[in-house]
Amino acid sequence: MAVLLVEDNPDDARAIHQLVTEGQPAHWRLHTASSLSTAIELLGKTQVDAILLDLWLPDSEGLETLAEARTHAPRVPVIVLTGVDDEATAVKALHQGAQDYLVKGVQSASGLSRALRYAIERQRILLELEAYRENQLAMKDRCLSHVSHEFRAPMTAIYGFATLLLDGLAGDLAAEQREYLEIIVRNVRHLRSMVDDVLVLTRADAATRRTPLTAHRTSVRALIGEAIDNVRVGAAHKSITLREDSPATPPDVYADNPRILQVLMNLLDNAVKFTPPGGEITVRAFEAPEEPGFVRVVVADNGPGVAADLLHRVFERLYQIEDTQESSRSGMGLGLFIARQLIESHGGRIWLESEPGKGACFLFTLPICSMHDVLLPLVSGAALRKGTLALIAIALRPARLDASPVAAEEILRAVDSVLKGAMRPETDILLPKTPCANYAVWEFIVACVDEGGAEVMARRIEQRLASCDELVALGVFPVVEWEMVDLPTTSGAANVDELMGQVPRRIQELIASRLGKKEERA
């Protein structure tokens, strides 16, 4: 078995090497490194079964050394080497993932061999337990997802017929009958909201617990308006004023529309729930100077507020703030937990600012959708060297233009998988998605290729999309086209400032023109 010894003291390294030689040399192959950087380089080239690690090295000290080693070799057991007077640090290392620790100078050959074997075996058992746990979570999520989908059909039927009765399409209703039907509709909406929460959790990645996103360029102000419209009736029942009060039109963000709408709806529903009758709820979005590159969204109410010790707990899974309003219905304590999960999946953050008696203010951030920032790594690197850029346009039109949101999401997931397999990460960039009414999917790739390369790439993508089983099953027809992007030049070579001054604008113009053509053709 291969063991990596990371030790900068030559005497200690020699002593450990001698212990290995005296023990069972035929069973061990020892690699050595005198610094953390050398060890990391060796780990990139050599597979090892265990690491003997001194925490105090020339280029790293203390528990940070362990953290770095585990980052670069997360599945390899680490045994910490410590001095007699530093066992306290070694014990802390056990709490941070080390499998064992050995005190230098007091080990025997058999003791060292036994410690290595035990560490390797314990790590193997831990990895098996982790794999089993992930498998159990995946099975649970599949079960929950299936049950939740099965719930949706009868809920839709109940909701549909109840609203038909409320609308008077089946005859006049007595006041008492109308009251009972309104209770049914209200509870079905509540149940549907809980099912949606469960579905969001089951879509989360088993390893990261992050929800997969289909993000594109989005007007955050339009999402705020839609969310306010959706809760306006409930707010009116309590005479609560709803208003959008952004200081200026915020820039577009890079976000998954349904997911961010879900976050806004959750925050607004909570605000309506806890705001007293006659109160006010304000929503605003703006660029915060202290967080460049992000738009900040604020949902503020003048309700009872939240105690300081609960500001972080409200985002915990299944946690619920005690509600003293008898008319309110409690949920499952998943809403704010899911909101945090969705915002963090976008690369933003969410938090609560509040004082008892002074209302609550929920805030979250979303990344600004900037063509300049998206293209800068490509333009300053491969494009600057090669001197050519092409825009690959991919449009996939379903057989039915009124494809359901679920079908559209499946299409997007399948397309993204195909495109990632056809792109070169160092020379190609998949741009943020741009809305287009008549197409379920529209994607654009900026690639550092010449005309011949652009044509080959376009045909390769078209063939892969046309043979994708998921897209064929959904009745989706791919159309892939390309055109070259004119690059400004000076003395035969473009510089980054000139490129970034013109290329993003030119690409946006080409995209807008092509989307217009697609809509006309459709």
Side-chain angles (χ1 to χ4, degrees):
M1 294 190 179
V3 178
L4 172 60
L5 170 62
V6 189
E7 173 61 73
D8 66 322
N9 186 311
D11 293 335
D12 290 335
R14 193 178 306 112
I16 293 174
H17 188 275
Q18 185 175 352
L19 289 176
V20 173
T21 304
E22 289 177 359
Q24 297 174 317
H27 294 170
W28 304 104
R29 183 172 70 257
L30 192 65
H31 303 276
T32 59
S34 58
S35 67
L36 182 61
S37 58
T38 304
I40 291 172
E41 183 180 353
L42 195 149
L43 286 169
K45 299 184 294 184
T46 305
Q47 183 175 349
V48 299
D49 298 289
I51 300 174
L52 292 169
L53 180 68
D54 182 11
L55 295 179
W56 306 95
L57 299 170
D59 53 351
S60 183
E61 296 183 351
L63 296 175
E64 291 184 4
T65 307
L66 173 63
E68 280 294 314
R70 296 195 72 235
T71 297
H72 289 85
R75 301 176 68 84
V76 179
V78 177
I79 298 177
V80 168
L81 300 175
T82 180
V84 177
D85 58 347
D86 199 26
E87 287 194 59
T89 301
V91 172
K92 291 180 182 178
L94 294 180
H95 291 284
Q96 296 191 17
Q99 279 293 345
D100 203 350
Y101 73 91
L102 299 177
V103 179
K104 298 178 185 179
V106 299
Q107 297 298 320
S108 64
S110 60
L112 175 61
S113 178
R114 185 165 53 251
L116 285 168
R117 290 188 181 280
Y118 284 178
I120 292 171
E121 183 63 17
R122 281 195 298 271
Q123 184 75 359
R124 183 188 64 78
I125 293 172
L126 284 175
L127 292 175
E128 288 180 354
L129 286 173
E130 183 180 345
Y132 176 79
R133 175 178 173 275
E134 294 298 338
N135 183 54
Q136 292 297 307
L137 285 173
M139 289 177 61
K140 180 198 72 175
D141 285 350
R142 285 195 296 269
C143 179
L144 284 173
S145 180
H146 176 73
V147 171
S148 298
H149 278 293
E150 291 300 315
F151 278 173
R152 279 191 162 188
M155 278 195 303
T156 300
I158 295 170
Y159 182 80
F161 283 107
T163 52
L164 284 175
L165 292 172
L166 275 175
D167 291 339
L169 297 180
D172 295 334
L173 297 173
E176 191 174 12
Q177 292 173 325
R178 179 172 295 278
E179 179 186 353
Y180 293 159
L181 280 172
E182 288 175 348
I183 293 173
I184 291 173
V185 170
R186 187 163 61 248
N187 280 272
V188 170
R189 285 173 179 164
H190 182 68
L191 184 59
R192 187 167 58 184
S193 175
M194 290 192 291
V195 168
D196 288 341
D197 285 347
V198 172
L199 286 174
V200 169
L201 290 179
T202 59
R203 292 190 188 107
D205 180 75
T208 64
R209 311 312 296 170
R210 293 287 179 89
T211 303
L213 303 175
T214 304
H216 57 263
R217 193 183 193 98
T218 297
S219 167
V220 68
R221 199 162 196 175
L223 288 177
I224 290 173
E226 184 176 353
I228 288 176
D229 287 341
N230 288 340
V231 301
R232 197 176 296 281
V233 174
H237 286 160
K238 296 178 66 177
S239 300
I240 294 173
T241 301
L242 292 170
R243 63 190 185 97
E244 195 266 340
D245 186 32
S246 299
T249 301
D252 290 347
V253 296
Y254 186 51
D256 186 320
N257 281 24
R259 303 291 183 241
I260 299 305
L261 182 61
Q262 182 179 358
V263 171
L264 285 167
M265 288 291 299
N266 183 282
L267 298 181
L268 284 170
D269 281 337
N270 275 344
V272 170
K273 174 181 177 180
F274 289 102
T275 299
E280 182 176 272
I281 299 171
T282 303
V283 187
R284 56 184 179 272
F286 56 93
E287 286 188 80
E290 61 270 28
E291 291 184 283
F294 287 84
V295 167
R296 180 179 293 183
V297 181
V298 181
V299 178
D301 63 57
N302 58 355
V306 179
D309 59 330
L310 301 180
L311 294 181
H312 297 291
R313 292 205 63 195
V314 296
F315 296 103
E316 293 178 4
R317 188 170 188 162
L318 302 179
Y319 181 79
Q320 292 177 293
I321 296 177
E322 183 179 353
D323 180 16
T324 58
Q325 302 180 59
E326 294 181 0
S327 62
S328 298
R329 285 196 56 89
S330 59
M332 295 188 296
L334 291 175
L336 292 177
F337 171 79
I338 290 173
R340 183 183 67 178
Q341 186 182 69
L342 292 175
I343 294 300
E344 290 179 351
S345 294
H346 280 80
R349 65 189 186 100
I350 185 170
W351 70 101
L352 169 62
E353 296 176 356
S354 181
E355 292 182 34
K358 295 185 178 181
C361 183
F362 283 91
L363 307 94
F364 64 88
T365 60
L366 293 170
I368 292 173
C369 187
S370 166
M371 187 70 75
H372 181 282
D373 294 341
V374 170
L375 292 175
L376 181 58
L378 182 67
V379 170
S380 61
L384 188 63
R385 295 192 303 271
K386 195 171 184 66
T388 57
L389 274 181
L391 179 68
I392 313 292
I394 304 105
L396 294 104
R397 183 166 141 187
R400 293 171 57 247
L401 295 182
D402 60 340
S404 69
V406 173
E409 188 172 323
E410 292 177 359
I411 294 170
L412 289 168
R413 193 179 298 115
V415 171
D416 283 348
S417 176
V418 171
L419 294 183
K420 288 174 182 176
M423 293 168 55
R424 298 163 299 172
E426 68 279 3
T427 60
D428 307 329
I429 286 182
L430 181 63
L431 296 180
K433 296 172 181 60
T434 305
C436 177
N438 290 329
Y439 277 71
V441 176
W442 50 100
E443 303 270 18
F444 294 94
I445 296 173
V446 177
C448 289
V449 292
D450 56 20
E451 291 192 32
E455 184 171 4
V456 170
M457 186 174 181
R459 298 290 76 79
R460 181 171 69 245
I461 291 173
E462 190 169 43
Q463 290 170 3
R464 292 189 181 186
L465 290 171
S467 59
C468 176
D469 292 338
E470 293 90 339
L471 297 177
V472 171
L474 291 166
V476 176
F477 306 101
V479 176
V480 183
E481 299 173 343
W482 62 271
E483 56 189 305
M484 300 304 295
V485 180
D486 297 330
L487 298 181
T489 59
T490 56
S491 303
N495 62 60
V496 175
D497 290 338
E498 274 193 297
L499 287 172
M500 293 311 300
Q502 299 184 37
V503 171
R505 183 172 63 252
R506 177 58 180 152
I507 288 177
Q508 287 177 322
E509 291 172 352
L510 292 175
I511 290 174
S513 172
R514 190 161 287 277
L515 284 175
K517 293 176 183 177
K518 291 180 191 295
E519 291 177 342
E520 290 172 9
R521 192 181 304 126

